[in-house]
Amino acid sequence: LHILMFITSFGEQNITYRSCSNLRSHLSQPYVAPKHTAGDFQTHGITVEQVPSSVRKQLLNDLKAGGFVNPGERLEQIIESGKTVPVPIQATTNTTLYKLVSTKGKHTTPHPQTEYWITRNQLNLIKANPSLTNEILGLPPQSHANTFNVFEIQPKPNSKPTIYQSQVATVTTPNSIGVGNATQTIVPNRNLWTTPKSINIQIKVK
């Protein structure tokens, strides 16, 4: 069984320092990988019930404002993609988020409703470890790519969007384990953000 482990410096928010402390404590103990029990790809995240109702309600309302057809279903997917409770954070005019898009995928730019983004810290992590890009992003095998273009977004003027950060959950296939320790940033309402712009950075995995 192939195990992939990657460790990151976390984002700038206060919550990330607690996460770092928890990570050091966690790594002092032998790692016990979750068992793969279903399908070709399995995410070992938290459940909806583990998230405070106030956070669920806030995220659901943001997803509705973002125009998602099935906001409740998307809420569940977002929560289960992380192994920590999503932390609401108000973006500022200085906030810049990034998206990696496969050069061989269906879309050559970020999908208008894609909610998964990364911070500059996470982009720097990927640039320093390009061979682990797919694992850091927590991508299922069918979405793996060898080359990615990087795009950025910022809040629109006079808007105060809420983003949510959680730690990427461990993912497994029948033959591999990706140990999630990167931070994912959720953007539930893209209406409050600028159009994605290429920053002329290309990540080559191989």
Side-chain angles (χ1 to χ4, degrees), residues 93-152:
T93 55
N94 296 321
T95 301
T96 302
L97 299 176
Y98 303 89
K99 182 73 175 182
L100 274 65
V101 178
S102 168
T103 58
K104 302 293 185 181
K106 180 180 179 181
H107 302 281
T108 57
T109 60
H111 187 276
Q113 284 191 320
T114 183
E115 63 270 54
Y116 294 98
W117 295 75
I118 57 174
T119 63
R120 168 59 74 171
N121 280 2
Q122 301 306 299
L123 177 59
N124 289 340
L125 171 71
I126 289 171
K127 290 169 65 178
N129 303 276
S131 64
L132 291 176
T133 299
N134 292 292
E135 288 73 30
I136 291 173
L137 295 175
L139 297 177
Q142 65 269 24
S143 297
H144 282 197
N146 292 328
T147 308
F148 295 88
N149 289 325
V150 183
F151 295 79
E152 69 175 20

Side-chain angles (χ1 to χ4, degrees), residues 3-191:
I3 298 181
L4 296 166
M5 179 172 286
F6 43 89
I7 304 170
T8 178
S9 59
F10 291 85
E12 300 82 0
Q13 311 301 331
N14 290 336
I15 185 70
T16 59
Y17 293 100
R18 293 196 293 273
S19 297
C20 258
S21 175
N22 291 341
L23 180 59
R24 286 194 296 269
S25 175
H26 169 72
L27 291 177
S28 67
Q29 304 296 325
Y31 178 72
V32 180
K35 293 183 178 179
H36 184 82
T37 59
D40 296 327
F41 176 81
Q42 188 174 0
T43 301
H44 301 270
I46 63 174
T47 65
V48 173
E49 291 72 23
Q50 290 176 278
V51 177
S53 59
S54 59
V55 175
R56 296 201 308 263
K57 182 178 180 179
Q58 183 178 1
L59 178 52
L60 182 63
N61 287 338
D62 286 338
L63 288 167
K64 290 178 179 178
F68 285 94
V69 177
N70 297 305
E73 181 179 330
R74 193 59 65 99
L75 171 74
E76 184 175 337
Q77 293 171 353
I78 289 171
I79 290 173
E80 293 178 351
S81 70
K83 61 181 178 183
T84 57
V85 172
V87 178
I89 302 166
Q90 184 172 299
T92 70
T93 55
N94 296 321
T95 301
T96 302
L97 299 176
Y98 303 89
K99 182 73 175 182
L100 274 65
V101 178
S102 168
T103 58
K104 302 293 185 181
K106 180 180 179 181
H107 302 281
T108 57
T109 60
H111 187 276
Q113 284 191 320
T114 183
E115 63 270 54
Y116 294 98
W117 295 75
I118 57 174
T119 63
R120 168 59 74 171
N121 280 2
Q122 301 306 299
L123 177 59
N124 289 340
L125 171 71
I126 289 171
K127 290 169 65 178
N129 303 276
S131 64
L132 291 176
T133 299
N134 292 292
E135 288 73 30
I136 291 173
L137 295 175
L139 297 177
Q142 65 269 24
S143 297
H144 282 197
N146 292 328
T147 308
F148 295 88
N149 289 325
V150 183
F151 295 79
E152 69 175 20
I153 57 173
Q154 294 176 313
K156 289 181 179 178
N158 302 316
S159 68
K160 296 181 179 180
T162 300
I163 56 178
Y164 299 78
Q165 287 189 335
S166 62
Q167 198 173 345
V168 176
T170 293
V171 296
T172 62
T173 71
N175 301 308
S176 67
I177 298 171
V179 183
N181 277 318
T183 300
Q184 62 183 5
T185 300
I186 305 301
V187 178
N189 186 358
R190 286 277 302 284
N191 297 324

